[in-house]
């Protein structure tokens, strides 16, 4: 079947989609957006979290056909989404460019990110990224939390991120990152 | 590029910005937060096919017949491979013993064993084709524990290997055995004023890394294959893959694709050979990505264990002796069981001084899932038991558990049961002192002015309690872990470092085959190069097999070993750069003739900090490159009868204090705080080190209260291969994790550092168990602790 929907502000179409494919599979394998991750494909780990019509969902549990005509934001579009949201709130500000040299990563793609969402920057700065496989899903969830709740308590953060598994960090640096992003948001 | 030297006489700071000791940020951090970092499951190639493995639905059976014709007939299927399709006589692989079939031959020995491999144009087509393969199994009796594996008439799982290690094992279903005898335990036991015994059971833990096993094999024009793969050791994978493919190693070119965590679970091969075979058979690139269900069958687990201990002590609190027997379940294939046995035995009494020991550790072959490497590698199971014993003995003597540990704590100069002297700082008592001295987290922290914040109670958001049955307990534990490969293994790493001038600035490129699995090795390599070469710009070349082996990213060894190799290669590059400078500018300044020149901040400087030249000027258009292997000091094997021998390279120590709250009515546990103190020798990157300690701590918390692969005792089938039923801690299950780092340098190690990653996984588990015991008064001799153990209903 053919599926057409908006991804990160652009209309995208995927052809020859088998009816049983998940939104996650279409994003990763047909639209060249592998940022949403495939850690469990059973709705337990949150690594595939995307925004679907502005609601964070596990894209592994969304049938591709369900996305027809709808609006999807993935981690690849998170910085733009955050900027857009900030602009809507009338307080757009410059997000500093990344100033670190990036190595090649052994894969077919190379670095191209010139700006980051505040929550992405905070994850890098706080050391919340180790293997990084859980990071995209956590970022979508954390960004959503901070949009809804600019000054979250620790219990709020833990509750909001309880659907996202991480195996590397022990979560403490992830807590630090969300606190940092909230504080910077407050101070801006 | 001019050749005029930089004006002399300026002084410069002596610390390299972004060098070692500073919390520089990960070079791959930005790519990882934007979703652009390419993990092994993200690989894509035009014309690629999808691979799928058919696995055995039973644990032990004879394969009576195997028919792939229906699968092959399915449109979109390009290949179906079974044992008979393997191209060479080499049809097994393994880390220590080559006993693991690439595809099952006549017999399957565990639930989930690979039987056939399919390549098709869509993953669903591949799955359907695998389901159409007709396999007739004739089930055989299973052996699942020591009694059944060594009973008279028990099926021998590896008859062709029955003579392996036969001089040291009493039964062919035992993979490996290591006794350690020192002093006279019988005589010492007679002197003991108190003796405690315990039997402990340690469940099967899974690494549960988030990035599932995956990779892409691309057939090459020269008949070889290029493999993009997530692994812990590229060269060791290649050494096992190439013979099966019938290719020379240089035709199996491997590149590390992004690794989504490892923790030991990527030491053994998973889909590497299958992907290469399918790619070579079809002439098309083949991608294999396990789903989570398959991942639970696709890698080895942590050995479950039964541990029998006897500890004795005199009235004044000095240990007299330890007797123990540790039985590890290795499952159907050997994997790294022999080395795990060596660790479990040599570290079986923990970081304590005990002159009289009688120790035996062994690993079984059973029809349970294969077990091998996981963070802590044999020392974890032992620590769980000996720390429970230390608490028990302290209680018997009426001593404070921490004080009792400090009375017996190992120090620099103490001996292990193997007779090996610990020749570096061993601050065991100090680590315990530090975790004990921390202020306690507030009681009843869930109580707010608006009532109970149920999110902070055991059971949390399920709103099952408002704190009525909640009791608190505190527990302590400390552990010892070896760093690096032991028992005489030729453990080395290789680094290639290039220094050149680009855009008027000296820049370095570091190329190693080190598997970056999330630990931050890439960050540290850049820091080392900045420190050693005084440059700012360092590029980390992707890890591949175009450079020599870096050894495994395991055993807490990689910063020590590949960090050491990078430092060593940098030193050679530096010497060549200074030599070049002397040739070019020696006549400009007499200081060039002195030996003590340094590279700092892009310049050559004297010991007094006087600038002689810019490094870019020294290099001009010259490229300096050095590739060198670097070895640690040799270790030795352990005597097969007495276990004596200098088997280890280095030790790592961590202590934990756990504060838990237990809902005794519901049997639920909330860990409120899990504080760690660890000696790291030298923190090359404090932020990364703390991240490692916290991550290791939480994996230890997991096995204490929730993580276990449950294997049916009758059928030997895995009951819970999913994240729905195999529970790893969420952010809600995880407490505050304060970390106290000690930095007592080990003079034998690069920069004085110590391997960090595993030690916290040892002591976290027994600390949590001790705290739960303190809260409930229950004995709790198995881990993980389940609700029924706490409510007396299980």
């Amino acid at each position: 079947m053919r599926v057409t929907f908006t991804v990160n502000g652009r209309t995208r179409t995927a052809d020859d989609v088998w009816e049983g494919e998940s939104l996650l599979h279409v994003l990763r394998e047909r639209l060249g957006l592998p940022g949403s991750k495939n850690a469990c494909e059973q709705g337990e780990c949150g690594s595939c979290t995307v925004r679907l019509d502005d609601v964070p969902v596990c894209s592994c549990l969304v049938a591709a056909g369900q996305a027809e005509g709808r609006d999807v934001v993935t981690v690849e579009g998170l910085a733009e989404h955050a900027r857009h949201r900030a602009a809507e709130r009338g307080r757009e500000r410059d997000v500093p460019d990344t100033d670190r040299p990036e190595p090649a990563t052994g894969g077919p793609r190379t670095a191209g990110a010139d700006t980051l969402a505040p929550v992405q920057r905070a994850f890098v700065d706080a050391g919340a990224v180790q293997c990084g496989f859980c990071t995209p899903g956590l970022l979508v969830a954390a960004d959503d939390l901070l949009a809804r709740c600019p000054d979250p308590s620790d219990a709020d953060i833990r509750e909001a991120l309880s659907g996202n598994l991480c195996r590397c960090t022990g979560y403490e640096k992830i807590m630090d990152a969300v606190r940092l992003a909230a504080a910077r948001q407050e101070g801006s | 590029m001019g050749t005029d030297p930089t004006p002399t006489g300026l002084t410069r700071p002596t610390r390299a910005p972004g060098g070692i000791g500073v919390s520089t940020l990960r070079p791959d951090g930005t790519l990882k937060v934007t979703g652009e970092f390419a993990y092994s499951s993200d690989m894509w190639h035009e014309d690629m096919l999808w691979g799928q493995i058919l696995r055995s639905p039973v644990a032990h059976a004879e394969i009576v017949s195997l028919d792939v014709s229906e699968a092959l007939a399915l449109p979109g299927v390009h290949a179906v491979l079974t044992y008979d399709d393997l191209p060479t006589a080499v049809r097994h692989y393994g880390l220590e013993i080559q006993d693991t079939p690439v595809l099952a031959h006549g017999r399957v020995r565990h639930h989930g064993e690979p039987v056939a491999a399919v390549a098709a144009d869509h993953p669903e087509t591949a799955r359907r084709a695998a389901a159409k393969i007709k396999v007739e199994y004739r089930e055989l009796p299973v052996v699942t524990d020591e009694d059944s594996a060594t009973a008279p008439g028990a099926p021998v799982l590896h008859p062709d290997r029955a003579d392996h290690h036969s001089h040291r094992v009493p039964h062919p279903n035992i993979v490996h055995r290591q006794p350690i005898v020192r002093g006279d335990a019988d005589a010492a036991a007679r002197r003991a004023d108190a003796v405690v015994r315990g039997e402990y059971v340690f469940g099967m833990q899974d690494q549960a890394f988030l990035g599932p096993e995956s990779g892409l094999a691309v057939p090459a024009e020269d008949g070889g294959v290029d493999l993009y793969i997530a692994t812990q050791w590229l060269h060791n994978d290649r050494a096992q893959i190439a013979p099966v493919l019938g290719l020379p190693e240089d035709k199996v070119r491997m590149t590390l694709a992004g690794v989504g965590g490892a923790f030991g679970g990527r030491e053994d091969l998973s889909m590497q050979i299958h992907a290469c075979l399918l790619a070579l058979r079809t002439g098309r690139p083949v991608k294999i990505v396990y789903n989570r269900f398959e991942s639970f069958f696709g890698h080895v687990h942590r050995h479950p264990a039964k541990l029998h201990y006897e500890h004795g002590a005199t009235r004044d609190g000095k240990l007299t002796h330890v007797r123990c027997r540790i039985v590890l379940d290795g499952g159907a294939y050997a994997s790294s069981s022999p080395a795990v046995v060596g660790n479990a035995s040599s570290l079986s009494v923990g970081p304590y001084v005990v002159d009289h020991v009688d120790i035996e550790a062994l690993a079984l072959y059973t029809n349970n899932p294969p077990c091998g490497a996981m963070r802590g590698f044999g020392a974890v199971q032992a620590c769980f038991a000996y720390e429970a014993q230390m608490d028990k003995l302290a209680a018997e003597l009426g001593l404070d558990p921490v004080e009792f540990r400090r009375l017996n704590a190992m120090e620099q100069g103490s001996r292990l049961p193997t007779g090996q002297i610990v020749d570096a700082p061993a601050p065991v008592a100090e680590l315990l002192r530090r975790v004990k001295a921390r202020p306690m987290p507030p009681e009843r922290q869930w109580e707010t002015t608006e009532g109970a914040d149920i999110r902070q109670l055991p059971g949390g958001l399920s709103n099952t309690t408002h704190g009525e049955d909640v009791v608190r307990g505190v527990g302590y534990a400390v552990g010892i872990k070896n760093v690096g490969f032991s028992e005489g293994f030729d453990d080395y790493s290789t680094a290639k470092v290039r220094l050149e001038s680009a855009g008027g600035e000296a820049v370095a490129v570091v190329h190693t085959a080190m598997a970056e699995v999330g630990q931050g090795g890439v960050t540290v390599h850049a820091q080392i190069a900045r420190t050693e070469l005084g440059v700012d710009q360092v590029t980390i070349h992707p890890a591949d097999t175009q450079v020599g082996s870096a050894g495994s990213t395991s055993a807490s060894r990689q910063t020590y070993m590949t960090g050491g190799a990078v430092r060593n290669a940098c030193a050679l590059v530096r010497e060549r750069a200074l030599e070049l400078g002397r040739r070019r500018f020696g006549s400009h300044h007499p200081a060039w003739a002195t030996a003590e020149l340094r590279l700092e901040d892009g310049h050559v400087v004297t010991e007094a900090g006087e600038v002689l030249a810019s490094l870019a000027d020294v290099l001009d258009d010259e490229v300096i490159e050095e590739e060198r292997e670097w070895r640690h000091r040799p270790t030795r094997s352990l005597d097969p009868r007495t276990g004596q021998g200098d088997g280890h390279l280095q030790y790592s120590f961590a202590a934990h204090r756990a504060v838990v709250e237990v809902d005794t009515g519901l049997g639920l546990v909330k860990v409120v705080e899990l504080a760690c103190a660890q000696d790291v020798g030298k923190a090359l990157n404090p932020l990364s080190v703390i991240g490692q300690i916290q991550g290791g701590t939480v994996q230890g918390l997991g096995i204490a209260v929730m993580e276990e692969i449950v294997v049916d005792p009758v059928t030997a089938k895995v009951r819970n291969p999913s994240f729905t039923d195999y529970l790893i801690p969420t952010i809600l299950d995880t407490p505050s994790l304060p970390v106290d780092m000690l930095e007592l340098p080990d003079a034998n190690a690069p920069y004085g550092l110590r391997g960090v990653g595993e030690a916290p996984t040892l002591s976290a588990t027994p600390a949590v168990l001790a705290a739960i015991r303190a809260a409930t008064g229950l004995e709790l001799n198995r881990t993980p602790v389940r609700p029924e153990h706490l409510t007396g209903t299980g």
Side-chain angles (χ1 to χ4, degrees), chain B residues 291-314:
Chain B
N291 62 20
R292 181 53 51 181
F293 175 88
E294 187 170 10
S295 178
F296 276 101
F297 295 100
H299 58 260
V300 300
H301 314 292
R302 188 195 294 289
H303 292 74
K306 289 187 173 140
L307 311 97
H308 309 260
Y309 268 82
E310 176 188 291
H311 276 64
T314 53

Side-chain angles (χ1 to χ4, degrees), chain B residues 21-83:
Chain B
V22 185
S23 293
T24 58
L25 300 180
R26 299 185 65 96
D28 55 12
T30 302
L31 288 175
K32 284 179 172 179
V33 298
T34 54
E36 291 174 283
F37 185 80
Y39 293 89
S40 56
S41 55
D42 302 336
M43 298 290 130
W44 185 89
H45 200 291
E46 208 168 353
D47 285 341
M48 78 182 187
L49 300 171
W50 290 79
Q52 175 69 42
I53 310 305
L54 175 71
R55 294 173 179 274
S56 166
V58 293
H60 197 199
E62 197 184 312
I63 297 177
V64 179
S65 65
L66 186 55
D67 179 359
V68 302
S69 54
E70 269 190 58
L72 267 173
L74 198 68
V77 173
H78 289 251
V80 181
L81 304 179
T82 66
Y83 178 88

